[in-house]
Every structure is written in C-alpha cells, then in structure tokens.
Amino acid sequence: MIRPPGWFRRRAAMLVSLAIVIGLYAMTRERAMSKADSDEVASTFRFRRTPLPELPDHPPYQSVRKVHPSVRHIRAYVSTLGASVSMGDLDGDGLQNDVVWVDPRTDKVNCGCVPGTGDRYGTFALDPSPSIPNWDPARMCPQTSLIADLNEDGLLDVLVVYWGRSPILYLRKTPADSTSRPTAAEFESQELIPGGDRWYSSTAVASDLDGNGHLDLIVGNYLPDGSRMIDENAEGSETLHDSLARSGNGGGLRFFRFAGGTSGPHPTARFDLQDGVIPDELTHGWSYAIGPVDLDGDLLPEVYVANDFGPDRLLHNRSTPGRFRFAALHGERTMGTPASCVINEDSFKGMGVDVGDINGDGLFDIYVSNLTSQWALTESHFLWLNTGHPERMKDGIAPFRQASEELGLSRSGWSWDCRLVDLNNDGVLEALQANGFIQGRTNKWPELQSLGTSNNQLLHNPKFWPSLQPGDDVSGKDTFAFFVRGRDGRYYDAAPKLALEDGRSMSEAMVTRGISVADVDADGRLDFALANQWQTSYFYHNESPRPGNFLGLHLLLPLEKGAKTLAVPGVGHPAAELPGRPAIGAVVTVRLPDGRKRVAQVDGGTGYAGKRAPDVHLGLGSITEAPVEVRWRDPEGNPHEQTFPLQSGWHTIRLGWPADDKKGES
C-alpha cells in the first residue's frame, strides 16, 4: 500500500505527541508507596480517636454564618473559617493535657481536659462579656486561640483572635490555693487594644521579637479592616480580594511589644502596637499563618508569613531592644525554578506554615500548605530546604530552595494547617496536613474554577462571584494527610493505610482547619488534635507500638531575678517547686554519636488554626543519651548557651538569669 505524501510525518508527529503526554502524565502522577513500606507503616503507627470535650449545655448548633447581604449568595464560602485548637497546661499540673478549641457550631471558645487525661475540672467557655463592653456576638465570632503566659506571672493565659473585633486576652487570676482548678471565673478578659477595632484576624503568635527578654505578639489579619462581613444588618457592599495573585488590600500583620503586666485577682497585660515595622507594601496581605524561627543564630526570630491570594513573606529580623524592624528576604530563581517557587514571589494561596529539620542536617526548614486540589486550581505545597548560608540574609537573600515535589510533599488537597512532627520517635519527621473546604452534595468546582480565571478588576466585587450556598461542595471529600518517609527518601500519604482503634480509616473525609500537637500524658509519644469546621473535632491519642527513645524538655524562664540554671530529670515539671514561664524562642540542638545534629525550638504558636504545646520533643531512635545544647535569652534579653548531658526521657530545665550564671546546678 502506498502511503500519501506527509503520512509518515503526521504519524511521527502523533507518536511524539502521545509520548510527550504519557511522559508528562508519568511525571505528574503521584507515586505509590511500596508494599514493604506500606506494611511497615501499618504496624508502626496506631491512634485512638476521641471527640474533644463540649459544654454540657451548649447552644444549638449552626452550620452556616449570618453574613452581610452583599455576600449572602456566597455565604457557604464566607462560613468556611473558625475551627481551631490549642493544647497546653492551663491547670499547672506539669502536663500539656488541657485543650482550648473554638467550635464554630456554637462560636464558643471551649476549655477543658484533653480526653483520657482525667476529669480534673469541668469544660467551660471563655466569656468576654463581663469586661468587654462592646462585645456583640451577632457581629463577632472567635477564630483562633493561643495559650501563653502573657503577663509573665507563671500562669498560662489565653489570647483569642476574632472576626469582627480586635483580639481579647483572657488572663489567669492567681489561684486561691494549689487545689484551685480553671473555671471561666478564673480568667479576666481584657482587650489587646482599647476600643475593639473591627479587625478580621486569623491567627496570632508570641515571641521575643526585639531580644529584650519579654514575649511580644504578632497578629495576622485576613479581611480588610472595618469589614462587616458577618453583619447581616449592614448596608453597602463588602470588598473581597483585589487580585488572584497579588492581593494587597487585606488586614495584614500587626506587631505588639510587651509593655508590662500584673498578677493577682485582677491581672493585666499591656502590649503597645508598633508602627513602621515592615515596609507598607508588605503590611496588607490576606494573612493566614505565621511562623517565627531563628534562622541566623542571633536568638531573634525571623518570621514566615503565609498569605492567601498573594506572595508569602520571609522577614529577616533586624530589631534592637525597644525597636522592631524586619526586612523582606527574596529567593533566587534559576533556569529550572518556576516563578511561584521563589520566596517572596509566589502567587499561591498560603494557608499554613510549620518549621522543623526535615532532612536531619541540623538546620530549620519551612513547610507551607497551599491549594493543591487534584484536577482543580492545583498549586503546590512548599518545602523550603535550608541551604545553610544564613549570612546571605544580611544582603536580602533567602537561603532556601523549594523541594516539595522531589520529597513527595507537593500535593494533598485544599489544605490548611500543616505540621512536621516525629510521631514514632525514629528521628524522622512525619508531615500532617489538614484538608477540605466546603462539604456538600453539589460540586461547585467548575464555577469556582471560572472565577480563578476571571479579571482582577471584577474579583473584589462579590456580585461577580458564583453562588456558593449550604449543600454545595468544593473539595469537601479531601482527606486528612499523614505523610511518612519511605525507604527511597520520598514522602507518601499513609493515611489510607492507617486504621484507628474503632476500625475507621484515618483517611476519612473531614473539613479540617487546625492541628495541635502535645504529649498529653508524658509517655514520650506525641499526640495530636484536629479542629474540624461544622463537624465534630477530635483528639488522637498516640498508641503506636515500639516507639524509639525520645528527648522531652520543659524549658522555663525564671520569674525572679538571680535564679540559677537548674536541671531536673523526670516526667512533667514540678510547677510548685520550680515556677517559671515557657522559654519561647529557645533553641535546642542535640548532637548525635555519628556527628549528625537535630534541632528544635520552644514554639510560641507557629501555624494557622492549631498551636503546638511549648515543650521540645525530639525522637532519638535507639540512642539513649546525648549532649544537648540549649541557647536562650534570659528575662533581661542576655543571650546564654549551655550544654547538658541528658538521658532519653523527660527533663525540666529552668534556664538561668542573670547572664553571668554559666556554671549552673543539676
């Protein structure tokens, strides 16, 4: 048979095109875990799930918010935030076995005992109304909580950020005696700033930003200041994002410097709002999550900010005592680097952030969640690997490269909070991802996809948005992701392989927002809690068999001047004999026998809607002892460094003050 002219060329072109399509599919298709890894994972991790405690007489549940008339047609979209969870030590028993969580079904900030840790006191809600004259639950709702010692009296307080007003501090009153247990009446409510300005905040973190020894605050805000998004009686029209990739009309960041505090039956804490901390063009992002971490070794935290609808920011800390100052760092782009995989240049939808040493080189890496729904507006999560050149930050260069795809951590769904955490103490971090957006019956992704290609001139006006009502679904079937590292060095989502004690799969579809991590019973295995939107929220007790050894540290700053460094072995910390406050920002480095290092920090609220407890926890595998280097600033801001030879297990160390205390006692 004689082929017509050009037939071979056309057939060759078709084959080449087919080969390219197949090759691209093979490159983008997520790899599967090997059977050996899968079997090992199934036998390594085990968790028992229990609902978080609820109020005995809670208000009727709601499943959607009352919203401004101009956004009523997208009220399911507006109603997607509010669930959050934090674990810590509210009752002062030395264990991180108390939980504060926001339930959007009731819009209550619940406080109670973590399930399974004993009925030490009854669940209660933090009540702002007695001391907050402008409190109006019809136009305000809680978003995220942060447990921290805000007035430096050794008692843990709670900061809550809201939609519809500025944050409120709930300060723990000095207990009448050692048997007193937390109740709503034991917390004094106080505005962070007077007047209750109309903010729409998403998160808050605590850290010593200027190196003066006191705990400062950063509040991340989402919607524009003055919005009336959840006021059903307001007039006019609300404003949404002004760009799909470069939104600059959000609430952005606010920095607060600690200015003093008192304790007693009516405690107080004062924080002064700081102006001019960062350039104006960086202050108006739609900020979801914040991650403070010391990257250059000066014990001043750099700050990573995850922004929705615009570039994330990595801010280099150039503060001095009494003056906050941060400068934006920029990543370097190579021939093979997409523009959105460069720090300070991305156009993604930043939702969550966490820090940890994911490759075991003794350097902090940064894990960021974005929107990665399959067959939708697929972006990429970020895993910013530290290249080990902190000196470049002085020249405005971010010493990181993007490695999420090569490590298997680039995709999971419509994601929110994320966590890097060692749940079996083998020295290798797992990666947890909260996923899911709007759960319903009618798939509305096609309509939302069309919005994703719309003109920026229309985006800010809600009347051009497609209808998103209760019953609609957008990534509502995305499942919680539990990434483990395989033998090939890549991460794989093992959630479908993991069965809970009740026989359910850990890959159950939940609309999850926040992840909190703590070892609530001091058994050396980290537990976690998930805050779900419009659904039951859960605590996951870690019952994994055959965990490795671990190092657990309660690092405390003294309350009285002149206290020397004191290391106390044992489980928990003896609060009565050794009072103190968590040494937020202290950095711990463990030097292993083979020369490798592991690093961690005392966390002050990194992330979005979930906060980890301030203890340091490092998996050691088979190692039973190691030298542990601790670097910190005392309450006057003096830097210290001391090495402790420690056995595996829990230890409490009260870190010394003043600066000339180098010897210490043990």
Side-chain angles (χ1 to χ4, degrees), residues 64-77:
V64 68
R65 297 202 185 283
K66 296 177 180 179
V67 298
H68 190 283
S70 68
V71 294
R72 184 171 174 78
H73 66 293
I74 58 171
R75 59 183 178 144
Y77 178 89

Side-chain angles (χ1 to χ4, degrees), residues 376-656:
L377 292 172
T378 305
E379 298 171 345
S380 173
H381 300 319
F382 294 139
L383 196 288
W384 300 111
L385 277 183
N386 195 324
T387 60
H389 294 284
E391 71 281 357
R392 305 200 67 197
M393 289 192 282
K394 295 179 180 178
D395 298 322
I397 303 299
F400 292 87
R401 69 177 185 88
Q402 217 290 86
S404 63
E405 180 63 24
E406 68 185 72
L407 289 174
L409 290 171
S410 60
R411 287 161 284 181
S412 66
W414 190 307
S415 301
W416 302 88
D417 243 358
C418 55
R419 285 283 169 256
L420 295 174
V421 56
D422 186 354
L423 293 168
N424 62 347
N425 295 337
D426 64 349
V428 179
L429 297 176
E430 283 73 55
L432 309 183
Q433 276 279 357
N435 292 318
F437 189 41
I438 302 173
Q439 199 169 81
R441 300 175 302 278
T442 305
N443 182 13
K444 282 300 187 80
W445 251 121
E447 289 87 343
L448 201 61
Q449 186 87 9
S450 67
L451 179 70
T453 58
S454 65
N455 191 308
N456 281 340
Q457 301 301 316
L458 307 177
L459 187 68
H460 73 280
N461 192 332
K463 75 177 183 179
F464 293 108
W465 283 53
S467 174
L468 288 169
Q469 297 285 4
D472 292 337
D473 186 281
V474 179
S475 294
K477 296 179 177 59
D478 288 351
T479 59
F480 173 69
F482 188 105
F483 287 103
V484 300
R485 198 158 197 166
R487 290 181 173 87
D488 60 358
R490 287 176 58 86
Y491 278 84
Y492 298 89
D493 184 7
K497 310 293 182 183
L498 299 179
L500 298 168
E501 190 181 65
D502 58 9
R504 295 176 178 155
S505 171
M506 189 170 277
S507 62
E508 175 186 359
M510 297 183 295
V511 181
T512 304
R513 295 293 176 265
I515 307 172
S516 179
V517 177
D519 180 2
V520 303
D521 51 6
D523 67 353
R525 291 173 291 192
L526 285 173
D527 314 294
F528 63 92
L530 301 182
N532 293 329
Q533 186 75 16
W534 309 124
Q535 299 170 336
T536 301
S537 296
Y538 294 101
F539 168 68
Y540 292 77
H541 185 244
N542 190 343
E543 300 179 351
S544 302
R546 304 180 304 278
N549 296 320
F550 74 98
L551 179 71
L553 296 176
H554 304 287
L555 298 180
L556 305 177
L557 290 178
L559 302 180
E560 296 184 2
K561 188 169 184 177
K564 294 183 178 181
T565 299
L566 184 65
V568 181
V571 175
H573 71 263
E577 296 82 2
L578 201 67
R581 58 186 174 96
I584 303 300
V587 177
V588 174
T589 302
V590 178
R591 299 185 182 276
L592 305 180
D594 61 4
R596 292 179 298 134
K597 295 187 294 185
R598 293 194 181 134
V599 64
Q601 67 172 352
V602 181
D603 195 356
T606 295
Y608 161 49
K611 308 297 181 182
R612 61 158 51 86
D615 294 337
V616 168
H617 180 281
L618 287 164
L620 298 179
S622 61
I623 297 168
T624 59
E625 61 180 330
V628 178
E629 177 190 282
V630 182
R631 296 186 301 112
W632 75 96
R633 287 182 183 269
D634 68 28
E636 287 186 341
N638 303 301
H640 298 249
E641 179 178 321
Q642 190 163 337
T643 299
F644 304 85
L646 297 178
Q647 300 284 331
S648 61
W650 277 107
H651 304 269
T652 296
I653 303 178
R654 186 189 63 195
L655 300 170

Side-chain angles (χ1 to χ4, degrees), residues 150-151 157 169 171 190-192 258-262 267-271:
L150 300 171
N151 58 347
D157 314 299
L169 314 180
L171 303 173
Q190 173 196 313
E191 293 182 299
L192 177 60
F258 179 80
T262 63
T268 64
R270 195 174 93 244
F271 293 86

